[in-house]
C-alpha cells in the first residue's frame, strides 16, 4: 500500500509539473484570450469568420506531394518548382480545419482527420532534401550551404525547399496539437500521424538567440511548440525571443533587415509585424514581461506600414538600401491587400483586439471584408488567430 501511494504521489507530481511546464494551453495564445473565445457562441464565431464559407474539398484532395524541390535564392521561380501545390493544399486544409471545429461540423472533422492519416501513411514530403538539424552549432548541413552566390538570386537554394516543407509540416503539427490531439483519442490513426510528423522535428533548425524575423521567427515558433508538446520547460526561449524581437524593432518604426528590402520592403515589413505581434502574445501566454518600449515601437511600425500601404514613397528612405533585393524606385511589390493574404496576417486582428482605438485598427476594420483570408487561417501557424482575436474584438 505504501509503495502504491508513493507511486500515486509521484504520478500526480509529474502531471502537475508537466502542465506547469506548458505555461498555457497553447504556446501562442494566452489562456484568458482562448477561454473568452471558447465562451462565444458558435453562431457568432461562424458569422464573424466563416460567413458563406464553402470548403474547397477538391483542393485538399489534390494531396501533399512527396517533396518540394527547385527554389532559387530569390524564390521568384515558383512556377518551375516541384511540389509547390503543398502550400495551396495546406492553406485550404488549415482554413477548412478551423471552420470544421468552430462550426462543429463533425463529418468534416472526420474527413480532415482521415486526410492527415492518409498523408502520414503515404509519408508525404519526406523526400524533400534535409538541410537543417536540431543539433547545437550545426544549423545548416554542408550540402545545402551557399545561397545567393548569384547576385540576382537565380542560383539553386535547397534551404528554401527544406524550409517550405517544414512550414507545411509544422503548420499541420500546430493544427493537430490544437484541434485533433483529443479527437477520438483511442483511434489508432493517431499513432501513424505522430510517427510521420515527429521525425520532422529533427529537421527543425536549432535556435540559440533570436536575431532575425522570417522562417517562423527564426525557427523559434516550431522550437517552442515542440517543447510545449513534450511538456518541457521553454520560458527561457520565450525570454530570448522577446529580447531579440525588441532589438529588431527600431525606434523610427522600421524593422531591421525587413523595411530595407527594396521593392519588397512593404511585404517584408508586414510579415515581420505578423511575427512581432505573435511574439507579444507568446510573452503574455508565458507570463513574461515585455520590454518597456516594445509596444510603443510595435505601434510605430504599424503606423509606418499603414502610411506606406497608402503611399509607397513613405517607405522609400529605408527601401532604397536594397537589402537582398532590387530597387523599388518608389513602387512596392506587395502582391496582396488586407483581404487576400493570410501570410503573417494575424496582426491585423490582434491589433484590433489589443488597440481598438488605434487609427490603423479602425482603418483595417473599415477595409476588411467578411470573407478575408486572414480570418480563415494563418499561413504560418495554420490556427486561425485572426478568427480568435477578431471574434473578441468585434
Amino acid at each position: 500500500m505504501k509503495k502504491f501511494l508513493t507511486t500515486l504521489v509521484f504520478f500526480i507530481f509529474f502531471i502537475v509539473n508537466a502542465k506547469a511546464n506548458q505555461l498555457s494551453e497553447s504556446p501562442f495564445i494566452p489562456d484568458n484570450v482562448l477561454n473568452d473565445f471558447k465562451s462565444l457562441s458558435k453562431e457568432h464565431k461562424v458569422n464573424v469568420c466563416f460567413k458563406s464559407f464553402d470548403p474547397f474539398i477538391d483542393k485538399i484532395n489534390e494531396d501533399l506531394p512527396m517533396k518540394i524541390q527547385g527554389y532559387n535564392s530569390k524564390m521568384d521561380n515558383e512556377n518551375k518548382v516541384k511540389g509547390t501545390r503543398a502550400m495551396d493544399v495546406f492553406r485550404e486544409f488549415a482554413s477548412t480545419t478551423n471552420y470544421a471545429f468552430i462550426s462543429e461540423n463533425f463529418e468534416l472533422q472526420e474527413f480532415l482527420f482521415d486526410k492527415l492519416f492518409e498523408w502520414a501513411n503515404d509519408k508525404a514530403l519526406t523526400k524533400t532534401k534535409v538541410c537543417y538539424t536540431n543539433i547545437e552549432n550545426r544549423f545548416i548541413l554542408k550540402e545545402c550551404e551557399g545561397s545567393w552566390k548569384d547576385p540576382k538570386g537565380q542560383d539553386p537554394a535547397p534551404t528554401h525547399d527544406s524550409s517550405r516543407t517544414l512550414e507545411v509540416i509544422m503548420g499541420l503539427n500546430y493544427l493537430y496539437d490544437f484541434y485533433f490531439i483529443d479527437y477520438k483519442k483511442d483511434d489508432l490513426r493517431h499513432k501513424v500521424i505522430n510517427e510521420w510528423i515527429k521525425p520532422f522535428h529533427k529537421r527543425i533548425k536549432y535556435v540559440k538567440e533570436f536575431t532575425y524575423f522570417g522562417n517562423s521567427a527564426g525557427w523559434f515558433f516550431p522550437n517552442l511548440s515542440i517543447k510545449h508538446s513534450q511538456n518541457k520547460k521553454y520560458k527561457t526561449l520565450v525570454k530570448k525571443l522577446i529580447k531579440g524581437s525588441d532589438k529588431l524593432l527600431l525606434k523610427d518604426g522600421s524593422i531591421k533587415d525587413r523595411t530595407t528590402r527594396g521593392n519588397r520592403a512593404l511585404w517584408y515589413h508586414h510579415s515581420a509585424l505578423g511575427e512581432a505581434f505573435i511574439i507579444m502574445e507568446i510573452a503574455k501566454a508565458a507570463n513574461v514581461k515585455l520590454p518597456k518600449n516594445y509596444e510603443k515601437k510595435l505601434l510605430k511600425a504599424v503606423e509606418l506600414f499603414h502610411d506606406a500601404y497608402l503611399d509607397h514613397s513613405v517607405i522609400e528612405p529605408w527601401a532604397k538600401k536594397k537589402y537582398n533585393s532590387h530597387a523599388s524606385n518608389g513602387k512596392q511589390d506587395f502582391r496582396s491587400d488586407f483581404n487576400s493574404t493570410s501570410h503573417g496576417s494575424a496582426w491585423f486582428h490582434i491589433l484590433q483586439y489589443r488597440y481598438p482605438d488605434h487609427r490603423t485598427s479602425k482603418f483595417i476594420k473599415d477595409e476588411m471584408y467578411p470573407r478575408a483570408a486572414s480570418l480563415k487561417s494563418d499561413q504560418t501557424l495554420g490556427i486561425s488567430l485572426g478568427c480568435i482575436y477578431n471574434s473578441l474584438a468585434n
Side-chain angles (χ1 to χ4, degrees):
M1 184 68 178
K2 185 177 180 182
K3 186 176 179 181
F4 170 76
L5 289 173
T6 302
T7 303
L8 181 62
V9 169
F10 177 79
F11 177 74
I12 292 171
F13 173 80
F14 176 79
I15 294 297
V16 171
N17 193 53
K19 289 184 177 180
N21 289 341
Q22 282 189 320
L23 302 177
S24 55
E25 184 176 340
S26 165
F28 305 113
I29 310 164
D31 281 345
N32 66 311
V33 173
L34 192 54
N35 291 334
D36 287 348
F37 176 72
K38 288 177 179 179
S39 72
L40 296 173
S41 71
K42 174 181 72 176
E43 290 73 22
H44 172 73
K45 290 182 280 193
V46 171
N47 187 55
V48 169
C49 311
F50 291 97
K51 208 169 189 176
S52 305
F53 180 73
D54 186 16
F56 193 180
I57 300 300
D58 286 348
K59 174 59 68 176
I60 298 171
N61 279 330
E62 286 183 16
D63 292 322
L64 295 176
M66 292 305 295
K67 65 179 176 181
I68 296 174
Q69 181 181 27
Y71 273 108
N72 62 24
S73 292
K74 195 181 178 187
M75 299 184 78
D76 63 355
N77 65 329
E78 197 159 72
N79 60 332
K80 297 179 182 178
V81 177
K82 294 178 182 177
T84 53
R85 75 173 185 275
M87 279 76 78
D88 295 330
V89 171
F90 166 66
R91 277 192 290 269
E92 197 59 43
F93 182 90
S95 296
T96 306
T97 299
N98 288 307
Y99 170 73
F101 282 87
I102 288 169
S103 66
E104 299 174 17
N105 185 323
F106 304 117
E107 183 180 349
L108 200 51
Q109 290 173 19
E110 172 58 25
F111 163 75
L112 294 163
F113 184 65
D114 198 58
K115 182 56 68 175
L116 263 183
F117 168 72
E118 282 182 31
W119 293 337
N121 209 37
D122 292 341
K123 296 180 171 54
L125 290 169
T126 56
K127 299 299 182 183
T128 300
K129 189 170 185 176
V130 179
C131 284
Y132 299 103
T133 173
N134 64 349
I135 299 172
E136 187 174 359
N137 297 324
R138 286 190 65 183
F139 308 127
I140 300 175
L141 299 180
K142 191 172 182 179
E143 56 268 31
C144 295
E145 291 176 348
S147 60
W148 283 98
K149 286 181 179 178
D150 176 9
K152 294 183 179 179
Q154 299 306 299
D155 53 317
T159 52
H160 292 326
D161 303 335
S162 183
S163 60
R164 278 283 195 246
T165 295
L166 291 170
E167 282 174 13
V168 171
I169 289 292
M170 288 309 300
L172 293 172
N173 196 158
Y174 303 142
L175 287 167
Y176 176 81
D177 287 347
F178 196 73
Y179 289 118
F180 291 107
I181 202 162
D182 291 323
Y183 178 82
K184 297 183 177 180
K185 290 187 77 168
D186 297 327
D187 196 304
L188 294 177
R189 288 175 293 180
H190 282 287
K191 183 175 184 292
V192 177
I193 292 167
N194 277 290
E195 287 175 348
W196 171 54
I197 289 177
K198 287 184 178 178
F200 280 99
H201 293 176
K202 295 179 181 179
R203 303 189 188 193
I204 299 295
K205 189 176 177 182
Y206 177 85
V207 295
K208 204 168 187 178
E209 303 295 335
F210 179 54
T211 57
Y212 71 97
F213 285 112
N215 291 130
S216 294
W219 301 92
F220 266 76
F221 290 173
N223 275 281
L224 284 172
S225 177
I226 290 166
K227 285 187 178 294
H228 181 275
S229 67
Q230 295 173 341
N231 292 322
K232 292 182 178 179
K233 293 181 179 180
Y234 60 93
K235 200 162 191 173
T236 299
L237 274 185
V238 175
K239 290 178 179 178
K240 287 182 176 181
L241 186 57
I242 294 297
K243 183 179 179 181
S245 180
D246 187 49
K247 288 181 179 178
L248 297 172
L249 295 170
L250 306 179
K251 291 180 181 179
D252 61 4
S254 67
I255 302 174
K256 189 177 186 297
D257 294 339
R258 307 293 286 189
T259 319
T260 52
R261 295 293 283 262
N263 64 331
R264 295 283 280 153
L266 187 60
W267 173 259
Y268 278 98
H269 186 88
H270 151 74
S271 60
L273 276 173
E275 292 184 355
F277 269 89
I278 292 173
I279 289 168
M280 179 174 71
E281 296 307 297
I282 288 171
K284 292 179 183 294
N287 198 26
V288 174
K289 189 176 180 180
L290 290 167
K292 183 179 179 182
N293 292 315
Y294 188 92
E295 291 177 85
K296 183 179 179 181
K297 290 190 293 182
L298 190 58
L299 292 177
K300 184 80 170 174
V302 164
E303 289 160 9
L304 176 54
F305 173 84
H306 183 170
D307 295 339
Y309 181 81
L310 297 174
D311 178 2
H312 290 180
S313 67
V314 171
I315 208 168
E316 186 63 20
W318 297 276
K320 67 183 180 182
K321 294 178 183 178
K322 299 185 296 182
Y323 177 76
N324 278 359
S325 58
H326 298 303
S328 66
N329 298 317
K331 180 66 177 175
Q332 286 294 310
D333 180 10
F334 190 62
R335 301 182 191 174
S336 298
D337 58 25
F338 285 123
N339 296 293
S340 63
T341 183
S342 65
H343 181 81
S345 299
W347 77 266
F348 296 159
H349 309 283
I350 298 172
L351 178 73
Q352 292 180 62
Y353 174 76
R354 296 287 179 195
Y355 314 100
D357 296 324
H358 192 277
R359 64 180 175 95
T360 307
S361 290
K362 295 174 181 178
F363 173 73
I364 292 174
K365 185 176 180 180
D366 290 343
E367 290 288 311
M368 191 161 282
Y369 300 148
R371 293 175 66 91
S374 57
L375 289 167
K376 313 292 183 287
S377 68
D378 180 278
Q379 192 172 322
T380 303
L381 299 180
I383 305 162
S384 181
L385 297 187
C387 181
I388 291 170
Y389 285 88
N390 200 298
S391 294
L392 294 169
N394 298 295

